[in-house]
Amino acid sequence: MKMNVLGTSLFLSVVLSAPLALAFVRSEIPESYDDFEGTELAVKLAVDGKFKLAEKVLSVSQTLDRKSHANRERVLGLLLEESASGKSDLAKASQHFAASLKIVESTETHFDKQRVDFAREDYLGCSESVRRSRMQLSSSSASKIRIATKCLRQANSLPEALDLIRLVLKSQPSLRVNPVIASERVEILVDLGLHEVALEIAIATMKDMANLEQPGISSFALD
């Protein structure tokens, strides 16, 4: 009977300690994060670069469902990616992102994996993730699109890279005069040996940039 009472006491202390620990950690977190809880809070903190707080929140957060397990893996990946923490390991970070994606498909986690795989020159792994998030990339930022196209180029998938640029420009026509996307487009055409087409597009793009007083025209023209 004593053993049962002791076991129950230990169980209750563990159950009660988690909310208390979370409340203690929560006191360190800015009010702007009040809309987030548990592993979602840890993800938000990690994405915003608040790695120590993200690690603390993760240590006291319960993972009761698939989403929270996926979030945990993503946060672990983000923590391992951060070199300032003194424990950067891009290979392990990529593994955690891959584990997260096996649990729950996530566009943002695909972007995380692409960024890390590109940095570690794993272009095959990066390009596979690009293919799985192709439609979401069409409405993404220029910097993420750039990483995706460079992954495909390095993996010798030039036609796919050009198709991705076409998909992006169909979804976001304004990116035609974005220096990052414009340069990628011309470089892919050159890599494919389509020099005349590349030159025509480069000249037309520079004219459009000039008409719009696009500040990136000088760097694009030099490229």
Side-chain angles (χ1 to χ4, degrees):
M1 184 67 179
K2 289 182 179 181
M3 290 298 292
N4 289 338
V5 172
L6 178 60
T8 301
S9 298
L10 288 173
F11 174 75
L12 288 173
S13 66
V14 170
V15 171
L16 291 174
S17 65
L20 290 174
L22 182 56
F24 178 77
V25 172
R26 192 88 212 198
S27 66
E28 303 179 43
I29 299 169
E31 291 182 2
S32 57
Y33 293 89
D34 284 351
D35 292 339
F36 301 90
E37 296 288 346
T39 58
E40 288 190 357
L41 173 60
V43 168
K44 178 61 176 173
L45 289 167
V47 168
D48 288 352
K50 301 181 185 299
F51 299 105
K52 290 184 178 180
L53 281 176
E55 192 169 15
K56 286 183 179 181
V57 170
L58 194 66
S59 68
V60 297
S61 296
Q62 295 179 311
T63 51
L64 303 175
D65 54 26
R66 291 173 59 83
K67 181 63 176 178
S68 59
H69 277 287
N71 285 340
R72 176 176 289 277
E73 291 293 339
R74 185 184 178 198
V75 173
L76 291 173
L78 290 168
L79 293 174
L80 285 168
E81 180 186 2
E82 170 53 30
S83 59
S85 67
K87 54 181 181 182
S88 176
D89 190 327
L90 297 184
K92 286 185 178 180
S94 179
Q95 291 172 9
H96 281 293
F97 293 142
S100 179
L101 289 166
K102 284 183 179 179
I103 301 169
V104 175
E105 279 285 321
S106 163
T107 300
E108 291 305 319
T109 307
H110 271 299
F111 292 159
D112 292 333
K113 190 173 188 301
Q114 289 161 32
R115 180 181 64 250
V116 167
D117 286 346
F118 181 74
R120 56 193 289 264
E121 300 182 357
D122 178 10
Y123 303 122
L124 291 178
C126 182
S127 59
E128 178 58 31
S129 182
V130 168
R131 293 184 186 106
R132 290 172 61 185
S133 59
R134 184 172 179 271
M135 295 308 298
Q136 289 75 25
L137 275 162
S138 65
S139 58
S140 188
S141 65
S143 60
K144 290 175 181 176
I145 294 164
R146 177 179 178 272
I147 290 175
T149 56
K150 286 191 176 297
C151 282
L152 293 171
R153 289 170 64 188
Q154 293 292 338
N156 295 317
S157 300
L158 292 173
E160 281 188 89
L162 185 59
D163 284 343
L164 178 57
I165 291 290
R166 288 169 175 163
L167 180 67
V168 166
L169 294 181
K170 184 177 180 180
S171 177
Q172 302 185 73
S174 62
L175 289 182
R176 290 181 185 278
V177 292
N178 179 287
V180 171
I181 300 303
S183 295
E184 279 296 302
R185 187 185 185 193
V186 171
E187 287 174 15
I188 293 168
L189 289 167
V190 171
D191 289 345
L192 285 167
L194 302 173
H195 299 91
E196 291 186 7
V197 177
L199 181 59
E200 290 175 3
I201 288 177
I203 293 172
T205 302
M206 284 189 286
K207 287 180 178 179
D208 290 340
M209 286 180 170
N211 291 334
L212 295 170
E213 297 182 353
Q214 169 63 259
I217 185 172
S218 59
S219 61
F220 176 69
L222 286 173
D223 289 340

